[in-house]
Amino acid sequence: MTSPTSDVSVRIAWADDAPAIAELQLRTWREAYAGLLPDDALPADVETAAAAWRSSLQAPRDARNRVLVALERNRVCGFAITSPAGDPDCDPVQDAELADLTVDPAERGKGHGSRLLQAAVDTMVADRFTRAVTWAIAGDDALRAFLTEAGWAPDTAHRELDLDGEGTTVVKQVRLHTAFS
């Protein structure tokens, strides 16, 4: 007799996934940016965010812009975004960017992040990128540890994002990178 297995997977996001992705994104931002940003600095309108997601999923600006979703049964538990790297010291033909890797906080530790990261790397390799970069909040030790354990490393690049344009809401980030063999 075999034991039951979870019905989990990762696939390319569909436009119909937009509301679930938007809800997950806005909810996890509250946790990720707690203490860094005032609550009113974060968007809260799921319908507006879902419309933006739907538009970008239906008509990506570049064929190599991809959104992947981690699913448990048919419920979105996480998402990842890959694209050509946009940093001035990166080559958008050779270098990809893991622009986001988000897993529902209630679903962490169940393998969704690992599946998403592997699918994102497989997607970037299929798109013929040879290297990837990603930005992480400097204080997000859990994300940096997760990526480091998966073979990513800091590359000394760092930045400060001025989120309100006045210098009062600044988020420090570090860049990590990995090469594909």
Side-chain angles (χ1 to χ4, degrees):
M1 182 168 212
T2 61
S3 60
T5 58
S6 298
D7 182 8
V8 294
S9 61
V10 174
R11 65 164 165 75
I12 295 288
W14 303 329
D16 289 347
D17 295 320
I21 295 169
E23 190 278 326
L24 175 60
Q25 179 184 46
L26 298 185
R27 188 166 33 85
T28 58
W29 276 358
R30 297 256 176 248
E31 179 183 301
Y33 293 107
L36 295 173
L37 298 173
D39 283 343
D40 62 350
L42 295 169
D45 183 358
V46 174
E47 288 183 26
T48 300
W53 273 106
R54 181 173 275 104
S55 175
S56 86
L57 290 168
Q58 289 174 332
R61 290 186 327 251
D62 184 303
R64 297 171 299 161
N65 288 352
R66 315 271 190 195
V67 178
L68 305 168
V69 289
L71 303 170
E72 184 162 345
R73 292 182 174 70
N74 64 349
R75 185 175 51 83
V76 173
C77 297
F79 65 92
I81 303 170
T82 66
S83 65
D87 293 334
D89 63 336
C90 291
D91 176 355
V93 173
Q94 297 295 318
D95 298 332
E97 181 171 355
L98 178 63
D100 202 337
L101 179 66
T102 296
V103 175
D104 186 329
E107 299 296 327
R108 291 184 185 150
K110 297 179 180 180
H112 298 299
S114 297
R115 279 187 291 280
L116 266 175
L117 183 60
Q118 186 60 57
V121 167
D122 290 346
T123 298
M124 292 182 282
V125 168
D127 284 337
R128 298 188 177 158
F129 293 112
T130 59
R131 186 178 89 102
V133 297
T134 192
W135 289 94
I137 296 171
D140 191 344
D141 295 335
L143 177 60
R144 287 185 301 128
F146 173 74
L147 291 169
T148 300
E149 289 172 12
W152 295 65
D155 69 1
T156 71
H158 60 280
R159 67 185 180 189
E160 290 186 354
L161 300 178
D162 181 359
L163 300 178
D164 63 9
E166 298 175 11
T168 57
T169 308
V170 176
V171 174
K172 295 179 181 181
Q173 293 185 312
V174 294
R175 191 172 71 183
L176 293 93
H177 69 107
T178 192
F180 306 132
S181 51

